[in-house]
Amino acid sequence: MFDEDKCSTQLYEHDFLGEFTCTLGVIVSNKKLHRPLILPNGKPAGKGAITITAQELSDNRIITLTMCGRKLDKKDFFGKSDPYLEFHKQGDDGKWMMVHRTEVIKNTLDPVWKPFTVPLISLCNGDVDRNIKVLCYDYDNDGGHDFIGDALCSQVEFECINPKKLKKKSYKNSGVIIVKTCKVRKEKKGKKMVTFAVGIDFTASNGNPREPSSLHYINPMGSNEYLSAIWAVGQIIQDYDTDKNFPALGFGAQLPPDWKVSHEFAINFNPTNPFCSGVEGIVQAYSNCLPHIRFYGPTNFAPIINHVARFATQALQQDTAAQYFTLLIITDGVISDMDETRHAVVQAAKLPMSIIIIGVGNADFTAMEFLDGDSSALRSYTGEEAVRDIVQFVPFRDFRNAPKETLAKSVLAELPQQVTQYFKQKNLSPSNTMPE
């Protein structure tokens, strides 16, 4: 936060008041944050604080308004006025907050502003009967803008009133503000923007889950390496998934009753509805699943990657271009089908899809780092090169005791770029529900 001293885009020209840092996910999950401002040395910036309020755009109506003014008060000594409008809505706490400001129209008392479009939920919380406060100012270069008047806008034409002038018997108004045109329409939006799917490694390389040496062994504290990773990473990704329903799949285990090996099974044992509600749902399904399966192998990634890729392909065919799929694989790092996995990743790179691999334990993660493709482009066994890098590998051991924000930066380090790169390549525009 800065105190503006002059008309300049260079921050060093202004006075620094303090800062607050957090992830967008923290804001979205809290809805409203009130935090102290901090100086660069880590000390409080006096009594300064910042309040951030987040509102989900669940109402997809948008409104386009064209406004004009008539016979506004003259504020400039050598001219008329340079008027602009501010639109404010009232929050649940009774305070008014600005939601839109028009451009400045120079030297006129009868301005006509350009049409502007805003989400209806931003302007009036989606309630068309809700009052909107409109304030009119005369712009001054020194920042000391002169107040012309305001009004509660609930009709097409309304008087602009300056309360300080009401004592004058001859005072009628400070001009009239007119709504020239008003159009409300629904904005075409896709379905849920980001879908996270979770894949969990149940292969024998993880060790016998009944023995303390296993990464799947649940200790007396009720935790293990996989549960720690699910909790830590899950709490990050759930902030960016609007309905927080995650398809959770397992691979590399023998399943009852015939004990055949499966490389893509629903850990809640409901293949028609593999979704788990929130991180808690994944943890519960995982814990319930462990006693009923046999760890086996081999460790094949390709089937679960292709499983999620089929959903991404269906989304393209259904013209839901705003959807993007992210597969989160939690594994001990051993991989048996490297050629097939490379091919699956190269094909998935053509789809609205990314893969985040979380390595648990202390194994050699060279294969995972190879799939990451940061040093060189990944190629299929056919020689085909991936059109973009869609894999991010994170060794959980490096972040086990790190703050959530540090882990979040690593887990989500490449995802925003991967998403935007895909939409740019396809000349598509993601929906406005996408986290930036």
Side-chain angles (χ1 to χ4, degrees):
M1 186 179 292
F2 290 84
D3 169 47
E4 184 180 83
D5 286 330
K6 57 182 72 174
C7 190
S8 172
T9 58
Q10 301 298 322
L11 289 179
Y12 65 82
E13 298 276 6
H14 310 289
D15 295 326
F16 178 72
L17 298 178
E19 66 181 14
F20 166 65
T21 305
C22 72
T23 65
L24 177 62
V26 171
I27 296 173
V28 172
S29 58
N30 280 273
K31 302 299 183 185
K32 186 173 184 178
L33 277 179
H34 184 77
R35 296 288 187 272
L37 290 172
I38 304 299
L39 296 174
N41 59 11
K43 295 182 179 180
K47 296 182 179 179
I50 187 169
T51 300
I52 306 172
T53 303
Q55 186 174 33
E56 185 176 353
L57 300 180
S58 54
D59 188 329
N60 66 343
R61 290 176 296 171
I62 57 176
I63 183 169
T64 301
L65 292 167
T66 305
M67 308 293 296
C68 67
R70 187 174 66 228
K71 296 182 179 179
L72 299 179
D73 281 355
K74 178 179 178 296
K75 291 290 184 178
D76 294 341
F77 186 76
F78 292 108
K80 296 180 181 179
S81 286
D82 304 320
Y84 68 90
L85 298 179
E86 287 184 356
F87 292 78
H88 294 242
K89 75 171 180 180
Q90 196 169 26
D92 295 333
D93 56 2
K95 295 180 180 179
W96 293 90
M97 55 183 164
M98 188 178 68
V99 296
H100 181 75
R101 178 186 287 135
T102 68
E103 77 280 12
V104 176
I105 306 295
K106 290 287 188 178
N107 197 30
T108 180
L109 302 181
D110 301 295
V112 178
W113 289 280
K114 294 178 181 178
F116 65 91
T117 301
V118 294
L120 196 63
I121 198 167
S122 296
L123 186 65
C124 59
N125 284 1
D127 181 2
V128 293
D129 295 320
R130 192 183 188 116
N131 280 329
I132 305 162
K133 182 183 284 189
V134 180
L135 295 88
C136 186
Y137 288 93
D138 166 53
Y139 177 86
D140 286 331
N141 288 328
D142 62 2
H145 312 307
D146 297 320
F147 177 67
I148 295 177
D150 64 14
L152 291 178
C153 174
S154 58
Q155 52 194 13
V156 174
E157 187 172 316
F158 47 93
E159 293 181 323
C160 197
I161 302 297
N162 188 333
K164 293 182 179 180
K165 294 185 177 183
L166 287 174
K167 295 179 182 179
K168 297 180 181 179
K169 291 183 179 181
S170 60
Y171 180 73
K172 185 178 179 181
N173 59 49
S174 294
V176 177
I177 303 297
I178 302 166
V179 182
K180 286 189 65 178
T181 63
C182 175
K183 297 179 182 179
V184 178
R185 69 182 190 273
K186 287 187 176 181
E187 184 180 33
K188 185 178 179 182
K189 292 171 64 176
K191 297 181 180 179
K192 182 170 71 168
M193 172 61 201
V194 180
T195 296
F196 283 93
V198 179
I200 301 175
D201 183 350
F202 289 109
T203 55
S205 60
N206 287 278
N208 187 336
R210 296 173 181 81
E211 298 178 0
S213 59
S214 172
L215 295 170
H216 283 281
Y217 173 76
I218 298 180
N219 59 38
M221 301 295 291
S223 184
N224 62 26
E225 282 292 290
Y226 277 82
L227 281 172
S228 296
I230 291 171
W231 274 116
V233 180
Q235 287 176 342
I236 294 169
I237 65 173
Q238 76 171 356
D239 289 338
Y240 298 96
D241 193 297
T242 50
D243 63 9
K244 296 176 174 48
N245 284 323
F246 307 100
L249 308 171
F251 60 93
Q254 294 176 321
L255 307 183
D258 54 8
W259 302 109
K260 290 184 178 179
V261 178
S262 175
H263 297 290
E264 44 177 315
F265 64 92
I267 64 172
N268 64 0
F269 297 113
N270 186 349
T272 61
N273 185 18
F275 292 87
C276 299
S277 180
V279 183
E280 296 83 358
I282 300 174
V283 168
Q284 183 177 359
Y286 167 83
S287 300
N288 294 339
C289 171
L290 274 180
H292 301 288
I293 62 174
R294 296 174 183 169
F295 286 29
Y296 205 68
T299 308
N300 294 344
F301 280 15
I304 199 168
I305 294 173
N306 291 331
H307 181 100
V308 176
R310 286 194 292 272
F311 286 97
T313 302
Q314 290 173 6
L316 285 179
Q317 294 171 347
Q318 295 169 2
D319 197 30
T320 51
Q323 282 190 280
Y324 197 90
F325 296 81
T326 301
L327 171 61
L328 177 70
I329 299 177
I330 306 177
T331 178
D332 70 344
V334 178
I335 184 169
S336 306
D337 64 338
M338 179 57 82
D339 286 346
E340 290 78 7
T341 295
R342 285 164 49 204
H343 185 71
V345 171
V346 169
Q347 300 309 310
K350 305 171 187 176
L351 301 171
M353 179 174 168
S354 287
I355 302 168
I356 300 173
I357 303 175
I358 306 296
V360 295
N362 298 309
D364 181 3
F365 291 126
T366 303
M368 303 299 102
E369 292 167 347
F370 173 75
L371 291 174
D372 197 330
D374 285 342
S375 57
S376 61
L378 187 69
R379 292 182 179 272
S380 167
Y381 58 78
T382 64
E384 183 181 2
E385 185 177 301
V387 295
R388 59 194 181 97
D389 175 21
I390 65 168
V391 179
Q392 167 72 351
F393 170 67
V394 179
F396 185 65
R397 63 192 176 202
D398 294 349
F399 301 92
R400 188 181 289 110
N401 299 315
K404 178 182 176 181
E405 290 76 11
T406 304
L407 178 60
K409 286 180 180 179
S410 182
V411 170
L412 302 175
E414 299 179 6
L415 184 58
Q417 182 180 354
Q418 291 170 1
V419 174
T420 53
Q421 184 183 27
Y422 171 79
F423 284 113
K424 285 180 179 178
Q425 286 180 353
K426 300 296 181 181
N427 291 320
L428 298 172
S429 177
S431 75
N432 60 9
T433 58
M434 171 187 168
E436 296 185 1

